[in-house]
Amino acid sequence: MATSFKIGDGFVAEQNQKHIAALAEDYAALQRQLARRGIDIEELTREVGAFAVAIPTWGVGTGGTRFARFPGTGEPRGIADKLEDCATIQQLTRATPSISPHFPWDKVEDPNALREQAGQLGLAFDAVNSNTFQDQADQKLSYKFGSLSHTDKAVRDQAVAHNIECIRIGEKLGSKALTVWIADGANFAGQSNLTRAFDNYLSAMQEIYAALPADWNVFIEHKFYEPAFYATVIADWGSSLMAAQTLGDKAKSLVDLGHHAPNVNIEMVVARLVRAGKLAGFHFNDSKYGDDDLDSGSIDPFRLFLVFNELVDAQKRGASGFAPAYMIDQSHNVTDPIESLMGSAIELQRAYAQALIVDRAMLGELQEANDALGAHRVLKQAYNTDVSPILATARQRSGGAIDPIEVYRASGYRAHKAKERPVSGIATAGIV
């Protein structure tokens, strides 16, 4: 069997040499600029270098829409190929050391062997994700009309059993959290009893919660609409928070940036969940119209910065129970998924770095003085600062690529994988 292609560390170092002198100049210039503002660039670079976000295993495959999916070349054929792609992203960005699997998509006979394989690639497992929004080939009962909130207790029991199975697999993988998103809801007024559906959900979730190991959490993910277009059972952060508070300390609310009603102030949602001690973490992406699952920072980078501003504020003041989990959750329909995920990881680091350089003392004074424009100018000063040299330096110092996408393209990784992984299909209807 032919050896699987891997980008060599020597190749990365060779490519870095093309940019090392220019990077040093840019870093020194930024160092002087930040010093005038009382900011230590070296400390900032260390903080940025410690930032990490999980890669979803499904994210390295080509996505689709309700209308069609066009397979890409060299797509992963299974979890082993996904691990290779995720390891490549981590090799070049040094910001994605963990992966988040989805079951049953990533289910294997030997989870211990899968954990060992991931470890050999320098990867660990983040939160595991259950799937009760699709019917599987060997599934006895259908989720067409719901899962954890279904009117039939037998269906609810089946969904509960699947989630508990995910927990048991996750234990073997070294995970510490279960993410639960359900597609349950109604498309017609009167289709379901809105109160009873929520009660059914809570009852089922209590069984899942009881199965959590002592050091685990369950992340409750809400979504405003789709596929339930009239009423979704867990539609917003209020429903998610209510459920988390009902279940107990190990239940927290997950924020997906695309899962809100249009024009919702997501940074305020983050602030409220932090205050309640119930912020689980994030599924990062970007959107223009709804749950578009576009690349992080590609549409509204200022909003992403404002979210991180709240996160850094909570971090700096030592907010109780603040330990958010970060994951990218995107659908790559027209780009190379590896390139999109690397670009997104960099944009998340950028927003984090910009939030770190906000003059919080000055911001607080201006807020107390009700100086609206002055306070806004403090945020814009941080946002308008080009922190790219810090990001690139943090990557280069840890063995990553100064320009990850450039190195990736120069390596011919996708072409090599296209040969190793023959195309298995053509354009198909639907997202999967």
Side-chain angles (χ1 to χ4, degrees), residues 112-405:
N112 293 316
L114 180 62
R115 182 179 184 179
E116 182 179 350
Q117 179 186 1
Q120 291 173 348
L121 293 169
L123 300 172
F125 284 93
D126 201 80
V128 296
N129 301 262
S130 61
N131 181 343
T132 61
F133 53 85
Q134 290 177 322
D135 287 347
Q136 307 303 320
D138 58 349
Q139 188 174 310
K140 182 179 179 181
L141 302 170
S142 176
Y143 296 132
K144 180 176 181 178
F145 294 107
S147 58
L148 295 176
S149 72
H150 202 285
T151 55
D152 186 345
K153 188 175 185 305
V155 178
R156 300 198 299 272
D157 288 344
Q158 177 180 270
V160 167
H162 167 65
N163 276 276
I164 293 176
E165 179 189 26
C166 291
I167 294 172
R168 299 299 167 243
I169 296 173
E171 286 184 282
K172 295 177 181 178
L173 295 177
S175 177
K176 295 295 181 182
L178 168 72
T179 298
V180 179
W181 175 73
I182 59 170
D184 298 24
N187 281 289
F188 291 89
Q191 178 182 334
S192 67
N193 184 297
L194 303 181
T195 299
R196 193 177 305 129
F198 189 63
D199 288 343
N200 285 344
Y201 170 83
L202 288 176
S203 179
M205 283 294 289
Q206 284 169 340
E207 295 183 56
I208 297 169
Y209 186 90
L212 291 171
D215 58 348
W216 270 55
N217 288 307
V218 60
F219 298 161
I220 300 172
E221 182 176 1
H222 67 267
K223 184 175 181 182
F224 185 56
Y225 74 101
E226 191 189 39
F229 288 94
Y230 168 68
T232 301
V233 175
I234 305 296
D236 52 28
W237 72 276
S239 298
S240 175
L241 176 60
M242 188 185 304
Q245 290 175 327
T246 299
L247 293 172
D249 293 341
K250 292 187 286 187
K252 298 183 178 181
S253 301
L254 185 75
V255 176
D256 183 305
L257 296 191
H259 285 193
H260 305 266
N263 304 316
V264 162
N265 187 324
I266 300 176
E267 54 269 30
M268 183 177 285
V269 172
V270 172
R272 296 291 185 266
L273 290 176
V274 169
R275 185 183 185 282
K278 285 294 187 180
L279 178 65
F282 292 84
H283 280 183
F284 287 113
N285 48 54
D286 210 336
S287 63
K288 179 68 174 177
Y289 301 106
D291 184 29
D292 307 323
D293 276 353
L294 303 175
D295 290 14
S296 298
S298 63
I299 299 294
D300 195 348
F302 187 56
R303 182 178 68 180
L304 185 62
F305 161 75
L306 293 175
V307 167
F308 270 98
N309 180 57
E310 294 301 324
L311 295 173
V312 170
D313 176 74
Q315 172 188 320
K316 295 297 184 182
R317 59 185 166 81
S320 178
F322 181 75
Y326 298 143
M327 191 193 83
I328 297 172
D329 184 13
Q330 301 171 175
S331 179
H332 312 109
N333 307 330
V334 295
T335 61
D336 181 323
I338 291 177
E339 293 187 2
S340 277
L341 289 167
M342 288 195 296
S344 294
I346 292 170
E347 290 309 306
L348 296 174
Q349 283 185 308
R350 185 186 311 280
Y352 178 53
Q354 290 169 329
L356 285 172
I357 61 176
V358 169
D359 187 338
R360 301 204 171 272
M362 178 61 71
L363 180 63
E365 291 177 13
L366 293 169
Q367 289 171 337
E368 288 299 311
N370 296 310
D371 187 341
L373 186 57
H376 181 69
R377 279 166 53 85
V378 170
L379 290 185
K380 289 303 290 284
Q381 180 188 41
Y383 174 71
N384 288 330
T385 302
D386 183 4
V387 295
S388 298
I390 293 173
L391 312 185
T393 299
R395 287 193 297 272
Q396 187 265 332
R397 288 179 179 178
S398 60
I402 292 175
D403 187 335
I405 293 177

